[in-house]
Amino acid sequence: MVTGRKDGESQSSLRRTLGRTTAMLLTAAMIIGTGLFAALGATAEKAGSGLLLAIALSGVVALATGLSAASVGINFPEEGGGFTWSRKFGYPTLGFTAGCAYLGKGIVSTVVISLAFALYTAQMVHGLPPFAVHLIAAAAVALVAGVNYFGLELNAKLLIGLLFVQLALLAVFVAFAAPAAQWSNLLPIAGHGMGSVLAGAAVFFWSWDGFMRMAIMASEVKEPRSTIPFAVVGGVALSAVVFLVVPAVALAVLGPSGFTEGRAPNDTPLLTVAAKAIGGWGVWIVLAAAWLDTLTEAQGDLLTVTRVALAMGKERELPAWLGTIHKRFHVPRHAVLALGIVCAALALVVDLRPVLEVANVFTLTWYSIVLFDALQLPKDKRLVWPIVSWIGLAGCAALYLSLPPWALATGFGSLALLLGVRFVVRRRKAMHR
């Protein structure tokens, strides 16, 4: 039987502080930006003038997955997402796999994003030695972890405030770049054909990450039955406006060929657009937006991954001390400290960007399990038709096929190793009872 936890709170529980508008804006804040600065060039290289169609298709898969997550989240309004939901349906091993996948994805992406923040800082402050990049990245993680420690309300205010600043900067960019646009560059809409559009959609899909985070943080959402779906749909819709308007202007200014440098994709197409259509001060506008975005993205990543660690600690799938909550700030204090230290240490000594595609394997594993959980709901508990979840699963399967074999082998091998360790630990505990 599908049942949810009552909304009552205790000193050992997280607090329900997020209303509908705040949750929607927080979702948008966790989505907007990253793809514009990290994936736009690679997407355009694949899709050509079909860039906007590729972005829209990737958004459909994200929305299908987000609505499926909302369907489960409103029935189980607790922290932990796929880890918790799979356990509720009687699949603890699947839940453990989901939790490990999300932790792996969260750690890698937080470290990579902090390094991106450091690289943007280096572009703004010339003359920094190479080792300073890792110091800045580690300091950024420490800052984000410190802010996370002081409660969700402060984090929500900061993330939403920075969202409005980013939107203002992007609006200035669009307004001053649009006069140089050649709108015929948007045609043909399907680019080189649907095959290239789908390849581009596979690249850009990761840019929507953040769409289901309110479902993962369901125990901190007021009236989750109405708030979580509103946050998912509203957050994706607001992000879609930004994800379509800004790339449309960029494509119109540069044309499909402007998104490549020789045979490689242009990693910073918005900077190229700003330099061509606006001038030097426009480049600074884009740099400032990218700089802020990387910081807020790292903050959002750490915010949600600690909730999954909290749930795993409570269920003794990770050390129990990770399942404790700060009585004053109502945050998973040990999870914040532990993951903050791990991510800061990795950012200080390792460049994890080459293994980012392994994090994509973890992300797809998490999404697939969430979609599977949504299909377990009885008919009267579903928010959307099962076909919506099947669309999401089909999209995940296609995205798996788009990843290189080495990433699939490494990602699945890591999860299999963790499952093996779990089996050995549980067996030893059973033998000593």
Side-chain angles (χ1 to χ4, degrees), residues 133-353:
V133 170
H134 285 277
L135 288 174
I136 294 169
V141 173
L143 173 64
V144 165
V147 173
N148 265 268
Y149 197 84
F150 290 101
L152 180 58
E153 290 179 87
L154 172 62
N155 279 270
K157 289 177 182 177
L158 283 174
L159 282 167
I160 293 171
L162 291 173
L163 167 66
F164 286 125
V165 174
Q166 290 176 66
L167 291 177
L169 291 171
L170 290 172
V172 171
F173 166 80
V174 167
F176 284 89
Q182 298 291 327
W183 300 107
S184 59
N185 286 332
L186 302 184
L187 300 174
I189 294 176
H192 306 303
M194 286 307 298
S196 63
V197 169
L198 291 173
V203 173
F204 198 83
F205 176 76
W206 316 108
S207 305
W208 296 93
D209 186 36
F211 58 82
M212 71 161 68
R213 289 182 182 172
M214 287 306 103
I216 299 171
M217 300 167 63
S219 59
E220 295 168 278
V221 173
K222 297 177 182 176
E223 300 178 356
R225 182 163 291 276
S226 61
T227 299
I228 293 174
F230 182 81
V232 171
V233 175
V236 169
L238 179 56
S239 302
V241 172
V242 178
F243 280 173
L244 292 173
V245 171
V246 175
V249 172
L251 181 60
V253 171
L254 294 181
S257 62
F259 283 84
T260 59
E261 296 175 340
R263 295 185 177 181
N266 182 347
D267 291 330
T268 55
L270 295 188
L271 290 176
T272 306
V273 173
K276 179 179 179 180
I278 304 175
W281 69 272
V283 172
W284 280 100
I285 289 289
V286 173
L287 274 176
W291 186 77
L292 286 175
D293 171 71
T294 50
L295 192 61
T296 55
E297 179 67 18
Q299 186 179 359
D301 270 342
L302 198 59
L303 189 66
T304 45
V305 76
T306 53
R307 271 60 183 176
V308 176
L310 169 68
M312 295 182 76
K314 284 182 175 180
E315 297 294 342
R316 304 297 194 271
E317 292 284 15
L318 288 179
W321 54 270
L322 289 173
T324 60
I325 295 173
H326 195 287
K327 291 183 178 180
R328 177 183 175 187
F329 298 116
H330 292 268
V331 295
R333 54 178 180 175
H334 291 156
V336 171
L337 290 173
L339 289 170
I341 291 170
V342 168
C343 291
L346 289 172
L348 188 62
V349 299
V350 181
D351 184 357
L352 290 182
R353 286 176 294 176

Side-chain angles (χ1 to χ4, degrees), residues 30 33 38 53 63 73 98 104 205 216 228 254 282 298 345 354 390-391 396 400 407 431:
M30 292 181 181
L53 183 57
L63 183 60
F205 176 76
I216 299 171
I228 293 174
L254 294 181
W390 283 112
I391 290 172
C396 287
Y400 271 126
M431 291 175 62

